[in-house]
Amino acid sequence: MKPRIVELKSKQLVGLNQEMSLVDNKTFELWKNFRQRSKDILNKSSQDYISLQIYPKDYFETFSPAKRFVKWACVEVDDNKSISTDFQSLNLEGGLYAVFDYKGTAESAPAFFQYIYGEWIPKSDYILDDRPHFEVLSDKYKNNDPASEEEIWIPIKAK
């Protein structure tokens, strides 16, 4: 489970967001609402969907499933000038990311994330950076299918 280290250029994203926690998880509702309306975004620069999380600075210091964060369901666009007012815009700042390829169901994902945050990062030459974390859901992503594939992007910087 060795990641690729990638220097990401900034991206313009458009979508919907909602504050939640792992205990009060509203991911299903957020994505259902976004998927129904995403066909109205005409200037997509990719067919991939992006599930993005913006965590408070202290989120990973003392973990609690009740800590709140903002989750986005979004797509990358060429520009955000002609988007519907029903959507929000986000400029994803560029920077260094560790990119992990994940294959499996959502139920198996917590163990994968535990490996990333509990083992890989502490043993690596990097620390977490205070930028959004996100997953890229390409055409290989199949909800609740063990053969589903996605990329997990973790913001990092040198120790």
Side-chain angles (χ1 to χ4, degrees):
M1 288 192 277
K2 186 174 173 151
R4 299 182 310 279
I5 306 301
V6 175
E7 182 72 36
L8 180 78
K9 294 183 179 180
S10 65
K11 296 178 179 286
Q12 194 64 45
L13 305 177
V14 168
L16 301 175
N17 69 71
Q18 187 163 359
E19 186 176 290
M20 64 181 74
S21 70
L22 295 176
V23 172
D24 181 30
N25 194 331
K26 300 190 182 314
T27 300
F28 178 80
E29 295 87 353
L30 174 65
W31 273 99
K32 182 179 178 189
N33 190 13
F34 180 68
R35 286 279 203 166
Q36 291 171 346
R37 299 164 56 198
S38 65
K39 64 184 176 302
D40 297 335
I41 302 171
L42 304 177
N43 57 343
K44 294 177 196 166
S45 58
S46 166
Q47 293 304 308
D48 295 342
Y49 288 93
I50 297 173
S51 180
L52 182 141
Q53 297 75 228
I54 300 174
Y55 298 109
K57 283 187 184 282
D58 67 343
Y59 187 85
F60 293 97
E61 288 174 18
T62 51
F63 177 76
S64 166
K67 277 189 180 177
R68 303 199 60 80
F69 60 92
V70 176
K71 183 164 210 135
W72 283 74
C74 51
V75 293
E76 183 179 356
V77 294
D78 295 323
D79 66 68
N80 65 353
K81 293 177 179 61
S82 59
I83 64 163
S84 163
T85 56
D86 294 344
F87 296 106
Q88 292 89 37
S89 179
L90 175 69
N91 182 35
L92 177 59
E93 178 186 344
L96 204 59
Y97 278 85
V99 183
F100 294 84
D101 295 316
Y102 176 71
K103 184 175 183 177
T105 63
E107 291 77 29
S108 302
F112 194 81
F113 281 98
Q114 178 60 39
Y115 164 76
I116 293 170
Y117 297 119
E119 292 183 44
W120 185 82
I121 288 177
K123 293 177 183 175
S124 76
D125 295 331
Y126 304 98
I127 58 173
L128 283 177
D129 199 358
D130 185 28
R131 290 180 286 119
H133 299 225
F134 64 95
E135 296 80 45
V136 175
L137 313 175
S138 70
D139 59 353
K140 294 180 181 179
Y141 177 78
K142 311 288 184 231
N143 194 24
N144 293 324
D145 184 328
S148 180
E149 297 180 32
E150 63 189 88
E151 292 178 346
I152 298 172
W153 290 65
I154 307 296
I156 55 174
K157 60 185 176 182
K159 284 185 179 172

